[in-house]
């Protein structure tokens, strides 16, 4: 296999990109955490800040106008930092339990990572999950044939996505620079924005990720033509966020990597 000439590293997201088709586990838990406070939130509201570290995600949901209104009506005041902390403490054990049923690799994910190594890339990963949550996730992925060089989480940077710090730490651990030699692969717009802020190449995942939000079985059951129709606005959101290319799934990764390497051969950079 012909190795890539310019790219040296790749950083994959986890839920919706490599595991948990549709990124189902986080959304369900965010809904449950607010339900326990007597506040009903929609799947769309739960998914909106996806890509953030989980405490920041809870705070972002609480700050949404409709959620803030409902919180005021129920408690007579806005959601406080202490109340966010309390929900986050509930979130961790509930998410840990939920992840046990959402650790299945997305079809082609292990093969995609192996292919990247054959192409000469170092393979890293980052997530909004904590280290504690990633212990079981990483072990389950390893059993299925996927083990990146490292898995960075919420505690590994001063701020999560869309800040670039997890990617800067990824570059340090891979010993790869400049950032234009790294590709970020993510199914959230915040993840793509982090890649833009870091100066990476960015590939957005559309079908298996958060923005479509469907399990593998639900995706298969869509009426003919509906899937393609639904993916159009998702692709547009990814491009608007800064994705250089979009793929339905990571199993299509080789062509995208070779395209980026060819662009670099022509003198192009992630900035244009």
């Amino acid at each position: 296999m012909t190795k890539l000439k310019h790219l040296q590293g790749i950083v994959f997201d986890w839920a919706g990109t490599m595991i948990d088709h549709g990124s189902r586990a986080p959304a369900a838990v965010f809904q449950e955490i607010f339900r326990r406070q007597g506040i009903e939130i929609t799947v769309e509201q739960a998914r909106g800040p996806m890509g953030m570290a989980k405490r920041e995600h809870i705070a972002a949901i609480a700050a949404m106008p409709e959620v803030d209104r409902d919180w005021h009506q129920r408690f007579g005041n806005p959601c406080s930092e202490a109340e966010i902390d309390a929900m986050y403490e509930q979130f961790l054990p509930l998410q840990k339990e939920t992840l046990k049923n959402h650790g299945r690799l997305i079809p082609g994910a292990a093969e995609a990572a192996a292919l990247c190594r054959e192409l000469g890339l170092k393979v890293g990963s980052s997530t909004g999950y904590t280290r504690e949550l990633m212990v079981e996730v990483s072990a389950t992925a390893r059993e299925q044939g996927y083990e990146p060089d490292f898995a960075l989480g919420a505690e590994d940077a001063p701020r999560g996505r869309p800040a670039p710090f997890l990617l800067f730490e990824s570059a340090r651990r891979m010993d790869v620079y400049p950032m234009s030699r790294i590709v970020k692969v993510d199914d959230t717009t915040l993840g793509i924005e982090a890649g833009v802020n870091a100066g990476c190449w960015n590939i957005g995942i559309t079908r298996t990720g958060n923005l479509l939000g469907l399990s593998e079985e639900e995706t298969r059951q869509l009426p003919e033509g509906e899937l393609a129709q639904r993916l159009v606005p998702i692709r547009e959101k990814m491009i608007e966020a800064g994705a250089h290319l979009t793929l339905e799934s990571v199993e299509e990764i080789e062509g995208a990597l070779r395209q980026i390497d060819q662009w670099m051969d022509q003198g192009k950079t992630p900035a244009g």
Side-chain angles (χ1 to χ4, degrees):
M1 176 177 287
T2 306
K3 293 194 174 184
L4 301 173
K5 291 172 61 177
H6 304 287
L7 293 173
Q8 296 179 358
I10 189 164
V11 180
F12 289 107
D13 178 51
W14 280 83
T17 299
M18 300 299 275
I19 64 166
D20 187 12
H21 196 295
S23 193
R24 311 278 284 182
V29 176
F30 287 123
Q31 284 186 290
E32 176 60 22
I33 290 301
F34 278 87
R35 187 175 297 118
R36 291 181 179 187
Q37 316 310 310
I39 307 293
E40 294 291 334
I41 65 170
T42 66
V43 174
E44 290 73 21
Q45 287 169 329
R47 289 185 178 281
M50 205 69 79
M52 286 184 172
K54 302 314 177 192
R55 188 196 179 281
E56 286 74 12
H57 190 133
I58 292 170
I61 293 173
M64 292 176 179
E66 300 88 348
V67 179
D68 180 58
R69 179 200 63 212
D70 292 346
W71 195 281
H72 268 87
Q73 288 177 353
R74 183 166 179 79
F75 298 107
N77 53 260
C79 185
S80 68
E81 292 296 312
E83 287 166 322
I84 291 169
D85 286 338
M87 284 192 284
Y88 182 57
E89 286 180 15
Q90 294 179 53
F91 173 88
L92 290 174
L94 185 57
Q95 183 72 93
K96 191 172 185 178
E97 188 62 30
T98 304
L99 283 171
K100 292 178 181 178
N101 299 317
H102 291 82
R104 183 180 173 190
L105 282 187
I106 287 169
E111 293 80 2
L115 174 70
C116 287
R117 289 197 168 101
E118 287 181 39
L119 291 172
L121 301 181
K122 295 177 181 178
V123 178
S125 69
S126 65
T127 178
Y129 289 144
T130 62
R131 287 183 198 136
E132 180 184 353
L133 292 174
M134 284 307 297
V135 170
E136 187 159 344
V137 173
S138 296
T140 303
R142 191 181 309 118
E143 290 169 0
Q144 298 172 78
Y146 173 54
E147 186 173 13
D149 300 336
F150 55 83
L152 298 179
E155 304 98 327
D156 294 307
R159 271 193 295 152
R161 296 169 284 191
F165 304 123
L166 282 172
L167 285 165
F168 292 157
E169 177 62 17
S170 296
R172 187 188 72 80
R173 295 201 185 192
M174 292 189 291
D175 190 22
V176 173
Y177 66 91
M179 297 301 292
S180 59
R181 293 187 179 273
I182 297 173
V183 177
K184 179 68 172 76
V185 186
D186 209 295
D187 66 295
T188 69
T189 54
L190 282 176
I192 296 300
E193 288 170 17
V196 172
N197 293 334
C200 298
W201 294 97
N202 299 289
I203 297 175
I205 302 299
T206 60
R207 173 171 51 83
T208 69
N210 173 66
L211 291 175
L212 184 62
L214 299 179
S215 68
E216 192 178 348
E217 180 63 25
E218 288 170 334
T219 304
R220 279 198 299 266
Q221 290 176 357
L222 286 176
E224 186 177 354
E226 186 173 337
L227 176 61
Q229 211 170 32
R230 288 203 195 185
L231 292 182
V232 170
I234 295 173
R235 182 177 183 278
E236 290 172 352
K237 285 181 181 178
M238 286 293 187
I239 297 297
E240 185 179 346
H244 299 93
L245 293 167
T246 65
L247 303 173
E248 289 192 14
S249 164
V250 289
E251 63 186 341
E252 305 165 356
I253 197 76
E254 182 176 3
L257 294 175
R258 293 198 181 279
Q259 175 66 74
I260 291 170
D261 216 50
Q262 185 179 350
W263 284 339
M264 294 177 77
D265 232 7
Q266 298 165 358
K268 294 183 180 179
T269 69

